[in-house]
Amino acid sequence: DGGITQSPKYLFRKEGQNVTLSCEQNLNHDAMYWYRQDPGQGLRLIYYSQIVNDFQKGDIAEGYSVSREKKESFPLTVTSAQKNPTAFYLCASSIKQATNEKLFFGSGTQLSVL
Amino acid sequence: AQKVTQAQTEISVVEKEDVTLDCVYETRDTTYYLFWYKQPPSGELVFLIRRNSFDEQNEISGRYSWNFQKSTSSFNFTITASQVVDSAVYFCALSGTTSGTYKYIFGTGTRLKVLA
């Protein structure tokens, strides 16, 4: 079955540590996205990528980094510069980045600070 | 600026009741799309419906129906004869291109609890 796989499901970060969240899709989608979900705040866009080797900052990119070396993969690194990283992180993809495209989501990673 | 407002933070209903989730949006785009997604406890958002700004026809899919009214900038979602499995967080979203920049904006979500 095609879909988006996020791992791990739960992740704990120590202060000063960088952690990487994995996102893999086998839908052959060109566009991929990372969202952060906080209680009562909906989803906010961190980074997005329209094609391999290209990505753009979203609304809350500070303290995060991404790469897109393969079409299938779009890992997100939460750096030590992100002072409030505790949140639920969702990876999504779409066939292409266009206003009419629906998003397909992974099941998320809950990141907490130790 | 684009904005999506879901004023209902949480709604509780008893099974078999009908329930309407409200969504009000703001945009200056003439062409835009509206979406509803469901987030069950498992976490992933699941697409429910997409509607473009030129199509104001209401839509019904089983127990689900959607009412799109451009005059009031609303895209409300009704579940008829609710079931416990409908318990989830529901998000309304708006997609458009503002000043040449692609934007996909989510509301803050409405948590629906259906009690047996």
Side-chain angles (χ1 to χ4, degrees):
Chain A
D1 284 341
I4 298 178
T5 301
Q6 288 189 243
S7 62
K9 193 166 181 63
Y10 300 97
L11 186 59
F12 298 90
R13 192 191 90 167
K14 294 179 182 177
E15 202 159 330
Q17 186 182 42
N18 293 352
V19 292
T20 297
L21 285 61
S22 171
C23 177
E24 303 278 333
Q25 56 102 353
N26 60 3
L27 299 167
N28 199 32
H29 286 175
D30 284 327
M32 296 187 74
Y33 314 81
W34 274 105
Y35 286 92
R36 171 175 170 146
Q37 184 178 11
D38 294 279
Q41 293 196 42
L43 277 69
R44 293 183 291 169
L45 182 64
I46 304 173
Y47 268 98
Y48 64 95
S49 167
Q50 297 183 63
I51 56 171
V52 175
N53 292 322
D54 182 65
F55 49 83
Q56 305 294 329
K57 292 182 179 180
D59 300 318
I60 55 166
E62 186 173 348
Y64 301 96
S65 66
V66 294
S67 63
R68 186 89 187 272
E69 297 176 0
K70 298 186 300 181
K71 188 175 185 178
E72 305 79 23
S73 179
F74 192 41
L76 173 74
T77 296
V78 183
T79 74
S80 56
Q82 173 50 245
K83 298 306 179 188
N84 183 23
T86 297
F88 189 60
Y89 292 86
L90 284 158
C91 179
S93 71
S94 60
I95 295 172
K96 61 182 185 299
Q97 189 183 63
T99 54
N100 64 329
E101 290 295 335
K102 62 184 179 183
L103 301 181
F104 294 76
F105 285 85
S107 55
T109 293
Q110 176 64 51
L111 175 62
S112 303
V113 177
L114 288 175
Chain B
Q2 291 183 310
K3 186 178 180 182
V4 175
T5 301
Q6 293 181 257
Q8 303 153 308
T9 304
E10 184 169 313
I11 301 175
S12 292
V13 299
V14 176
E15 206 170 17
K16 297 184 183 177
E17 284 186 1
D18 298 348
V19 58
T20 295
L21 309 182
D22 297 333
C23 174
V24 174
Y25 64 92
E26 295 176 30
T27 182
R28 294 180 183 173
D29 295 340
T30 54
T31 302
Y32 54 89
Y33 286 79
L34 295 163
F35 301 79
W36 275 96
Y37 289 86
K38 174 182 180 180
Q39 185 180 36
S42 54
E44 81 280 12
L45 274 74
V46 177
F47 167 81
L48 295 178
I49 190 171
R50 167 181 49 208
R51 174 67 74 225
N52 76 55
S53 52
F54 298 106
D55 181 4
E56 286 193 71
Q57 272 197 334
N58 291 330
E59 182 157 339
I60 298 175
S61 176
R63 297 184 296 105
Y64 295 172
S65 62
W66 291 269
N67 184 319
F68 176 30
Q69 291 195 344
K70 286 182 76 171
S71 61
T72 56
S73 296
S74 65
F75 186 43
N76 296 337
F77 173 30
T78 297
I79 301 175
T80 303
S82 60
Q83 300 176 2
V84 173
V85 293
D86 295 327
S87 297
V89 181
Y90 291 86
F91 289 94
C92 182
L94 166 69
S95 174
T97 305
T98 301
S99 302
T101 301
Y102 166 85
K103 281 286 188 182
Y104 204 112
I105 307 296
F106 284 87
T108 52
T110 297
R111 181 178 298 278
L112 174 64
K113 294 185 178 179
V114 181
L115 308 173

